[in-house]
Amino acid sequence: MHSRFRRHACRALLACLTAAAAPALARPAVPEQETLAFVDVHVLPMDRPGVLHNHSVLVDGGRIVAVAPSLEIPEGARVVDGNGRAWLLPGLADMHNHAHAPQDQELLLALGITTTLHMGEAPNSFVGRMRHAVANGESAGPRILAALAVDGSPRYGHLVVADAGDAQAAVRLASRNGYDFIKVYNTLSAPAFEALAREAREHGVGLVGHGVKDVGLQRQLEAGQSLVAHAEEFLYAFFPEPSDADPNAAPGEEQMQGAISLLRRHGATVVADLVTYEAIARQWGRPEVVESFLRSPESRYLPPQMRVSWPRQGYSRRDGSLDARLQFLHRFTKAMDEAGVPLLSGTDAPSIPGLVTGFALHRNLAALVEAGLTPHAALATATRTPGEFLRRHRPELPLSGVVAGGARADLLLVATDPLRDLATLASPLGVMADGRWYPRDDLEARKAAIRAAYAAAAASAREAEAGAAR
């Protein structure tokens, strides 16, 4: 989030929380890729309007081989029968999060998310080992993409890029270490940003991120930044600043068109993470809201260190209200969608209090519908459009985010029509990630193991506290 809001997460972790032994709840093994046929399912292909009723989809070698009303099923193939009731659609994508624990990856998968873009602050081991372990079938999780976050100062914990020399080194290091993107942050200098943009183009690394105060989104997009990491960045780096009388005032409706024209002119994409600003607005000046977040059923899946850091963030100690700006962002998002600006779903989870990994994406899809997008358009922000965005930067990647021949076999099987109720997406009958099939009982076992591990960590901490008091 913007520097006005962001608070660097507490780095002091309680060792007893992370090291506590969990009960012996075994996670299922990672399945092998296999030849599998989904039969008699209703398919939402997402590369076109409408539904393919009572179709079959054949998968082999991690790719979709065919989609047709009926198919000859190879001998020995596994068959998943939808019985004319189940719905099949592309797996979902969370295109802005900070979830890097192994448990986070399994939780994302269990909630139907098969692609994730980590937007910075991940440990090197996440980019260097975890993503490869998932890709090689050694660990369960979604396909992982990652951005290296850079800034002009160490204030928010990012890699500092002070000048052109630093920019050149940062882009080369990002490329060498497998990062897909450079994420620019708020306090970069204009010369450092311009050098990053040049180097990123030369090395084929995508440039994404926040609005840079000393540059502004207009110059950033003109220089080649292809993704604005939050819709709210336009409040800080494009629209005129509000008066001192009301620092949280919303821009006027007439100012939207200039931003939309800029985005269309440069073919830029925006992460429409309404859920992020919504969570901040709810807790703005209200400490009791953060406490309610920590008591929610979803918080059972919150990494223990986030229970420490959430109450320490500064949103709940602020004055005023963000409600007018939140409603403006709803209208702005609808206007961008109507104008054909590519929108992605993202969450910023779990770094923002109230946003639990995976669950936050489903809340964002609901928020997009509340803002006026159709369910199909909302779903596109987490399926087809992320696939198009990734192919723009990584043309060697297979087609994704659609159910079509040749596409990556990332699929989500649900019980009811998602276009009638997107909530069905959070309770999948099964998830296929890179051609590996995880049926519901497998996904539920993984969720149970996460709950048990975190509950054991909390119990261990309480026991240690009691021992210290004796």
Side-chain angles (χ1 to χ4, degrees), residues 238-395:
F238 183 82
F239 298 128
E241 291 188 11
S243 68
D244 292 339
D246 184 3
N248 295 325
E253 303 293 308
E254 72 281 357
Q255 295 172 347
M256 289 183 187
Q257 190 54 51
I260 291 170
S261 296
L262 173 69
L263 289 162
R264 287 177 54 84
R265 187 160 63 249
H266 296 288
T269 303
V270 177
V271 179
D273 58 335
L274 293 177
V275 69
T276 311
Y277 205 81
E278 176 185 82
I280 292 173
R282 282 184 60 195
Q283 65 195 274
W284 195 259
R286 303 183 185 98
E288 70 279 4
V289 172
V290 179
E291 291 302 316
S292 73
F293 289 155
L294 292 170
R295 293 192 300 270
S296 71
E298 293 173 2
S299 73
R300 295 175 298 166
Y301 299 96
L302 187 66
Q305 65 267 29
M306 304 314 297
R307 288 189 171 276
V308 176
S309 67
W310 275 13
R312 296 171 64 94
Q313 297 194 39
Y315 308 122
S316 64
R317 296 189 292 273
R318 297 291 183 135
D319 297 322
S321 170
L322 300 183
D323 291 348
R325 284 188 161 197
L326 177 60
Q327 292 309 311
F328 173 83
L329 287 176
H330 276 237
R331 296 190 295 274
F332 181 41
T333 299
K334 182 181 180 183
M336 287 191 289
D337 175 66
E338 290 175 343
V341 174
L343 302 178
L344 306 180
S345 263
T347 63
D348 227 7
S351 59
I352 302 298
L355 301 181
V356 179
T357 298
F359 293 96
L361 183 75
H362 293 282
R363 172 58 204 150
N364 195 64
L365 294 176
L368 290 170
V369 173
E370 291 166 10
L373 275 68
T374 67
H376 194 277
L379 193 53
T381 69
T383 55
R384 185 192 72 245
T385 311
E388 292 171 348
F389 175 77
L390 292 176
R391 289 262 283 189
R392 173 180 170 185
H393 290 281
R394 298 276 305 278

Side-chain angles (χ1 to χ4, degrees), residues 7 12 42 57 68 81 151 179 188 205 218 277 280 287 317 372 409 418-419 435 456 461:
R7 288 295 178 268
H42 306 305
V57 176
D81 194 342
D151 203 357
Y179 287 89
L188 280 169
V205 177
Q218 179 165 336
Y277 205 81
I280 292 173
R317 296 189 292 273
L419 300 183

